[in-house]
Amino acid sequence: MRNRILAVAAVIGAIGAPIATQAQSGITTGAARGNTVVITESDGISVDRRPAFREYVIRERVPTFTIPDRVVVGGVLPEAGITYYDVPQTFGQTTYRYTVVNGQTVLVEPRTRRIVQVVD
């Protein structure tokens, strides 16, 4: 009986290890409607530039837009009612736009309006 319990625990540990490892990834990922969004630090605002970028957004007095949905990577913003702004080149070369939704600054792929990074 004891060996059986140890065997089951070992199998559960082996199955859970890849999931725990994936949770520690440095890549911002998300999924929405079956499409996976993966960006690297070079695509979005890097960790060391985020405080300066948040200060920039506050200094520019970018209005916050309210939506009923949660703000998550992979989520799609409404087609109308939200204004998107260019990211200054001082924060990295990016094709994404930014806006503030529900009090959170987000990077958005402009063509699809899909959130690719929540700048925390």
Side-chain angles (χ1 to χ4, degrees), residues 22 28-38 72-76 114-116:
Q22 187 177 18
T28 305
T29 62
R33 298 186 191 132
N35 296 325
T36 301
V37 176
V38 178
V72 294
V73 171
V76 178
R114 188 174 305 276
I115 298 171
V116 296

Side-chain angles (χ1 to χ4, degrees), residues 5-90:
I5 292 172
L6 290 174
V8 170
V11 169
I12 291 172
I15 291 171
I19 295 169
T21 302
Q22 187 177 18
Q24 301 300 319
S25 171
I27 298 173
T28 305
T29 62
R33 298 186 191 132
N35 296 325
T36 301
V37 176
V38 178
I39 67 169
T40 62
E41 285 294 322
S42 63
D43 293 334
I45 305 295
S46 64
V47 174
D48 61 326
R49 300 294 296 154
R50 289 179 190 171
F53 184 69
R54 282 192 301 274
E55 289 176 19
Y56 168 79
V57 172
I58 292 168
R59 199 171 47 249
E60 291 295 308
R61 296 185 180 178
V62 174
T64 185
F65 298 94
T66 304
I67 62 171
D69 301 327
R70 288 184 34 210
V71 176
V72 294
V73 171
V76 178
L77 297 177
E79 192 169 339
I82 296 181
T83 304
Y84 303 97
Y85 305 92
D86 290 332
V87 176
Q89 288 185 356
T90 57

